[in-house]
């Protein structure tokens, strides 16, 4: 495994601070399904990403190019949106719900 590949995997696991079980349970909630941009169907981009993240969390190795590409997308999303933290209580905010769809709970 190249150093670059290892750094992407490591950064992905730092950005995603929810377990696969936590994320799977979260994605079943109304709150999870109520946020995010839709891309022509009923499921938001973030919700789809969450399902893909669960698959990636179950992998131990043998990552393919599309896996690494999605990991980079997740890293970018989490970094970009954590920088946009709103003021006030975030516990029940759409901002937090959206981040959780991408595997990151800012209250952890």
């Amino acid at each position: 495994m190249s150093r670059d590949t290892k750094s992407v995997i490591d950064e992905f696991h730092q950005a995603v601070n929810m377990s696969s079980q936590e994320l799977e349970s979260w994605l079943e909630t109304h709150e999870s399904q109520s946020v995010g941009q839709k891309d022509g169907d009923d499921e938001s981009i973030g919700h789809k990403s969450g399902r893909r993240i669960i698959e990636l969390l179950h992998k131990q190795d043998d990552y393919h190019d599309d896996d690494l590409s999605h990991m980079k997308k997740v890293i970018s999303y989490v970094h970009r949106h954590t920088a946009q933290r709103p003021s006030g209580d975030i516990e029940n905010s759409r901002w937090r719900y959206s981040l959780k769809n991408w595997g990151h709970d800012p209250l952890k």
Side-chain angles (χ1 to χ4, degrees):
M1 178 182 313
S2 75
R3 178 180 292 179
D4 194 43
T5 299
K6 183 170 175 10
S7 70
V8 169
I9 294 166
D10 290 346
E11 195 170 352
F12 170 79
H13 285 287
Q14 289 172 1
V16 175
N17 67 356
M18 296 172 71
S19 70
S20 60
Q21 295 85 4
E22 289 172 317
L23 184 52
E24 194 166 2
S25 293
W26 166 252
L27 292 176
E28 294 175 9
T29 67
H30 170 73
E31 292 84 357
S32 168
Q33 296 171 24
S34 71
V35 297
Q37 283 185 318
K38 309 265 192 244
D39 190 20
D41 58 28
D42 291 339
E43 186 177 28
S44 74
I45 295 167
H47 201 269
K48 285 180 193 174
S49 176
R51 289 189 295 110
R52 180 79 169 98
I53 291 166
I54 291 168
E55 293 173 12
L56 292 170
L57 290 173
H58 286 292
K59 279 190 162 191
Q60 297 299 315
D61 54 18
D62 193 32
Y63 296 104
H64 302 285
D65 288 343
D66 62 320
D67 296 333
L68 295 169
S69 176
H70 195 74
M71 288 178 176
K72 290 176 185 177
K73 186 175 182 179
V74 170
I75 293 163
S76 176
Y77 183 90
V78 169
H79 287 315
R80 190 170 59 251
H81 284 271
T82 54
Q84 299 171 353
R85 183 185 182 114
S87 60
D89 183 17
I90 63 161
E91 185 170 354
N92 296 309
S93 68
R94 294 177 60 82
W95 175 83
R96 178 178 178 229
Y97 295 167
S98 183
L99 274 167
K100 285 180 73 173
N101 280 355
W102 288 79
H104 181 83
D105 185 349
L107 293 182
K108 280 186 117 181

